[in-house]
Amino acid sequence: MSRRIWDIPGGVHPPQNKSQSNQSPIQAGPIPKHVVLPIQQHIGSPAAPAVEVGDKVLKGQVIAEATGFVSAPVHASTSGTVVAIEPRAVQHPSQIDGLCVVIESDGNDQWIERQGVEDYAQLEKTQVLDLIRNAGITGMGGAGFPTAVKLSPPPDANIEQLILNAVECEPYITADDVIMRERAEEIVAGLSIIQWLVNPKETLIGIEDNKPEAIKAMQAATANTNIEVIVVPTKYPSGGEKQLIQILTGKEVPSGGLPANIGVVCQNVGTAYAINRAVNHGEPLVSRITTLTGDTIGKKGNYEVLLGTPVEALLDFGDTNFKKLDRLIMGGPMMGFAIHDLSVPVVKVTNCLLAPAKSELPDPRTEQACIRCGSCEQACPASLLPQQLYWFSKTQDFEKAEAHNLMDCIECGACAFVCPSNIPLVQYYRYAKRQVRVNSEQNAKSDHARERFEFRQARLEKEEQEKEAKRKARAEAAAKKQAAKKAGKAAPKAAPTGDADKAKADPLTALKSAAASATKRWKDAEKAYKTAEANGSDKLEALANKIEQLKTKADKANEAFVTARKAAKESAKEEAASDAPKAQVVANDPLAEIKKTSTEDFEALQAAKKALEEADQANADLVAELTAKVEAAKAKSDASKKAMKEARAKQREEIQKQKAAEDPVKAAQTAYDAAEKKLQKLEKSMAMLQEKGGDTSKLEGSLADAKAAFDTAKSNLESAKAATEKA
Amino acid sequence: MELFSENLSAIMSLVALALLFGAVLGFAAIKFAVDEDPIVDQLDALLPQTQCGQCGHPGCRPYAESIANDTDEINKCVPGGDDTIHAIADLMGKDFIPLDAEEGEHSDVPVVAVIREDECIGCTKCTQACPMDAILGSAKHMHTVIASECTGCDLCVDPCPVDCIDIIPVPTTQRNWTWEAPQGIGATPGQLIPVRNIA
């Protein structure tokens, strides 16, 4: 029944160092005082915390929900109280803290109610997948890809092989080895579930030949099934997913592709075990088998550790000699990384904690120049050109590195293991890979930015065009209105309706607004000129010209408006005059006319005087002529003044008469008051004259007249009063 | 006369060939005409698209156009830095020249604008200045920057009347963190574990 197996290119044979930890059975790990559960223990989007500080939780309770298809929930690994949800040191090589839910253990380790499925075959496949997803199961081999996603291949995918990866090729690690020895039945149960889910043509278990006990156990467990256990020769890195597929099937996963592309699904031993626990026992993933090994550890072996157990607590539990502890490595010596902080928790992918003494794993040696020996090329299991990749990475020529399939590097470290110059090749590749990713992200971002910018430009342009169109439409409408008005201007005069007023008023408003807008445009242009000047623009001349033009336009518009207003006022006056009652005209006219003539005459006089002054003495004839003119004008002006005075007096008298007719008492009273005033005035003048000793004869006459007038007025008033009293 | 008739066929065939190729070329010139200078697109793709205007052009594409027309130097892109200048120099077949110091200083650290929101008066001036439409907010309401859309061009900083916009380096998270470049010959690897023959 020997089955053909293939070989992979390259590979190395580092010392196994497995016997230190695989001699003892699996022991239960400690229940630490605090468990620290990172919300991201898998590839994909981080889970979202679903509890709050202070909440009591039971073992197996969901504390963070999956947030997408490629995501996994996190469960409380022991019972207790949530004491913090905060960033804590986690297992990330960046040493950047990640958000964690911290549970203070109550020591009871009390499970939430769990209910396994009686017979999963009775359920829908999607229901079983949901069970796996909700149990938070991720790949336990190292990468931590959500298992439910991996088990939901596209419906048209024809899965030929299901492979259980039990190779565990990395030195020191024995977690899969011991779990197969002790829990083979359960692993096979889990594998059967996967088998039922993906329905492969054949199911294979690949185990390295350095685990004879595990092979025996698995063979026993699969005795009556169609699952085949295949023993592969020990070689690092046979346990890589792509490498194992190649060994067992001879098929190569295409560059950039997935095993599903060639009809293969590959799962880790620990994952199969976790699936069994989840489906058949209703237990979510809250613990895992972790190898505790290295010379500083007293009780080396495999522990079933609660997820979130701080590394320090686990080391303490394994009697670690902290004094001798130099570096602590999470994962194996080939692919793991040193952790910076002992409070880092054990997570779903932590298969090994290596705590070597300094003698066991000395400090890395100094990097030396590449001697182009080509050993790395011989060791590479992915058939890459490590030396070329090294040069490209070193000179940051990432495009060429990518062209040389840098992304297909599995970072197994075989090349660095064989390098005689101690070049940390994997470090170069990781750096280059990350840069390639960052660059492509940046390119994507800049494309996105370009798109946004161009969209914005287009939008602004569109807005501008719309505005322009609106402005044009408005201007057109205004022009039409104006034309209509102009056409209607002649008609309203003839029209008998009240439109005449409106028509008369409207052109004026239009002119006014035209004038105002012209002025505004001119002012705006001036402002623009000023800003341009401040900014030092070279278009000053053009702007100045424009200002000139606008100014003349504005002036014209203003003039037109003023003339129009004058005309409108005059016509309004005419109308008013013609409409006014005749009587009023008769009453008002003479005086106004006289007044006007008087003003005109006076103005003529002034003009003549001015002309005379200006003429000066240069021309005697002209002066004489002008003097005569001035005199004539003066005479005329005096005459008209006198006429006006007379007219005014007459008017006043008439008004008084009118009033007297209306109210005799009041009129008499006014006359009396006036007479009294006049008399008093004269008396005062008289007194002043007497004091000065002037000629009083002329005044005496007027005084007598005034006295007589006063007396008359007095008697008139009295009689008027009597008359009204009588009435 | 004989000479002429002997050569006639040769001349005719040459004329025929000339006409044929002329027709083919003429057709190809119309059919496969390139609307736009493809070099502009290539240059535009090399520029970081921050649209910051520090090169003196109103955006990355105008600068690409002016490089393509040889009306501007290739060392004006501040956000792109030396990497971009190298790339442009390669594309244009020119020599590398260092970044024009007048244009500003290049920083390798990506930056993002952040509005101190309690100080924002909601004037919308930054919103209008942003070439990416990455600032959200309406008049008299607090504004905020959509960090994922912000290119850190700092065009929003000057218009802000209350100076409440800071340009800060993008914080490093587990997602955007990168491995440090190995220090090279003579250095011992840092925190990475050594991959040594552990016999």
Side-chain angles (χ1 to χ4, degrees), chain A residues 333 367 434 448 452 459, chain B residues 132-133 149 175 186 192-193:
Chain A
E367 179 182 337
R434 193 64 219 177
H448 182 68
R452 271 184 91 88
R459 196 195 73 216
Chain B
M132 289 298 133
D133 284 337
E149 309 295 345
R175 285 194 170 249
L192 255 190
I193 63 137

Side-chain angles (χ1 to χ4, degrees), chain A residues 525-540 543:
Chain A
E526 260 185 354
K527 223 186 259 168
Y529 179 78
K530 265 178 202 161
T531 32
E533 205 172 30
N535 293 340
S537 167
D538 49 354
K539 286 179 184 161
L540 286 182
L543 277 173

Side-chain angles (χ1 to χ4, degrees), chain A residues 203-217:
Chain A
T203 306
L204 314 170
I205 301 176
I207 311 181
E208 262 185 353
D209 58 10
N210 60 359
K211 304 178 191 50
E213 288 179 46
I215 293 167
K216 238 178 249 167

Side-chain angles (χ1 to χ4, degrees), chain A residues 14-15 17 40 44-46 90 92-98 171-172 327 329 332-339 360-370 390 394 396 412-414 416-417 419 422 424 426-428 430-431 434-435 438 441 443 445-450 452-457 459, chain B residues 41-52 58-62 83 87 108 110-112 126-136 146-152 155 170-199:
Chain A
N17 284 313
Q40 175 125 46
S45 47
V90 291
H92 199 270
S94 65
Q95 306 189 356
I96 295 169
D97 291 356
Y172 282 105
R327 276 173 306 156
I329 293 158
M334 301 295 278
M335 292 187 71
F337 53 88
I339 53 177
E360 187 182 10
L361 203 68
D363 274 340
R365 292 202 214 149
T366 307
E367 179 182 337
Q368 286 169 15
C370 173
Y390 160 67
K394 196 176 169 129
Q396 312 205 338
C412 66
F417 176 77
C419 183
N422 310 311
V426 178
Q427 209 171 327
Y428 279 100
R430 279 181 176 164
Y431 161 70
R434 193 64 219 177
Q435 289 301 319
V438 166
E441 266 164 30
N443 283 342
K445 194 175 176 189
S446 76
D447 282 347
H448 182 68
R450 184 186 299 119
R452 271 184 91 88
F453 180 65
E454 278 167 8
F455 183 80
R456 181 186 146 94
Q457 296 291 93
R459 196 195 73 216
Chain B
D41 279 333
Q42 288 176 37
L43 284 167
D44 195 30
L46 293 177
L47 295 172
Q49 305 300 325
T50 40
Q51 318 290 355
C52 62
C60 293
R61 194 169 182 90
D83 291 349
D108 270 331
V111 290
V112 67
C126 54
T127 335
Q128 291 157 29
C130 180
M132 289 298 133
D133 284 337
I135 302 179
L136 209 63
I146 309 169
S148 62
E149 309 295 345
C150 175
T151 59
L155 289 179
V170 176
T172 311
T173 62
Q174 289 184 7
R175 285 194 170 249
N176 64 13
W177 164 86
T178 58
W179 290 93
E180 261 176 50
Q183 284 156 327
I185 298 165
T188 42
Q191 58 118 350
L192 255 190
I193 63 137
V195 192
R196 282 293 311 148
N197 196 331
I198 35 182

Side-chain angles (χ1 to χ4, degrees), chain A residues 205-500:
Chain A
I205 301 176
I207 311 181
E208 262 185 353
D209 58 10
N210 60 359
K211 304 178 191 50
E213 288 179 46
I215 293 167
K216 238 178 249 167
M218 290 307 283
Q219 273 168 343
T222 57
N224 297 317
T225 63
N226 57 357
I227 298 168
E228 201 177 332
V229 176
I230 301 170
V231 180
V232 301
T234 300
K235 176 158 112 176
Y236 180 84
S238 306
E241 186 177 59
K242 292 170 184 176
Q243 282 62 43
L244 182 62
I245 290 170
Q246 196 179 354
I247 290 169
L248 295 186
T249 68
K251 293 191 277 192
E252 266 189 80
V253 178
S255 171
L258 292 171
N261 297 140
I262 53 167
V264 179
V265 168
C266 195
Q267 289 290 345
N268 175 267
V269 170
T271 316
Y273 174 75
I275 288 172
N276 172 53
R277 297 304 301 177
V279 176
N280 291 332
H281 303 273
E283 278 176 22
L285 183 60
V286 292
S287 65
R288 68 155 296 139
I289 312 293
T290 299
T291 306
L292 204 54
T293 186
D295 278 357
T296 63
I297 291 175
K299 292 191 283 182
K300 294 178 196 120
N302 285 281
Y303 294 85
E304 184 155 15
V305 185
L306 300 178
L307 299 180
T309 303
V311 162
E312 196 171 13
L314 186 57
L315 292 177
D316 214 24
F317 191 72
D319 279 345
T320 304
N321 183 350
F322 284 98
K323 273 183 196 160
K324 274 176 80 184
L325 181 67
D326 183 36
R327 276 173 306 156
L328 183 67
I329 293 158
M330 200 176 249
M334 301 295 278
M335 292 187 71
F337 53 88
I339 53 177
H340 60 291
D341 191 330
L342 289 182
S343 65
V344 167
V346 169
V347 293
K348 294 175 185 175
V349 296
T350 310
N351 50 6
C352 179
L353 274 178
L354 178 55
K358 206 153 191 169
S359 56
E360 187 182 10
L361 203 68
D363 274 340
R365 292 202 214 149
T366 307
E367 179 182 337
Q368 286 169 15
C370 173
I371 56 169
R372 302 180 191 253
C373 63
S375 301
C376 48
E377 191 272 324
Q378 299 294 314
C380 182
S383 304
L384 299 176
L385 298 173
Q387 205 188 100
Q388 288 301 106
L389 293 177
Y390 160 67
W391 294 118
F392 295 141
S393 304
K394 196 176 169 129
T395 54
Q396 312 205 338
D397 199 345
F398 303 122
E399 266 175 46
K400 274 201 185 129
E402 210 184 342
H404 279 71
N405 302 311
L406 171 71
M407 295 323 246
D408 286 332
C409 168
I410 59 166
E411 301 174 24
C412 66
C415 49
F417 176 77
V418 297
C419 183
S421 291
N422 310 311
I423 301 172
L425 289 164
V426 178
Q427 209 171 327
Y428 279 100
Y429 307 149
R430 279 181 176 164
Y431 161 70
K433 272 173 140 179
R434 193 64 219 177
Q435 289 301 319
V436 167
R437 265 193 210 114
V438 166
N439 287 349
S440 79
E441 266 164 30
Q442 259 171 13
N443 283 342
K445 194 175 176 189
S446 76
D447 282 347
H448 182 68
R450 184 186 299 119
E451 222 168 80
R452 271 184 91 88
F453 180 65
E454 278 167 8
F455 183 80
R456 181 186 146 94
Q457 296 291 93
R459 196 195 73 216
L460 290 181
E461 207 170 294
K462 201 176 149 203
E463 269 170 16
E464 194 55 44
Q465 275 172 1
E466 272 167 10
K467 247 187 225 166
E468 189 62 36
K470 258 187 204 164
R471 210 177 294 142
K472 256 186 199 164
R474 226 182 292 135
E476 262 168 36
K480 252 184 210 167
K481 226 180 180 180
Q482 201 114 346
K485 262 179 221 157
K486 260 182 202 164
K489 205 175 180 183
K493 275 207 171 165
T497 51
D499 280 359

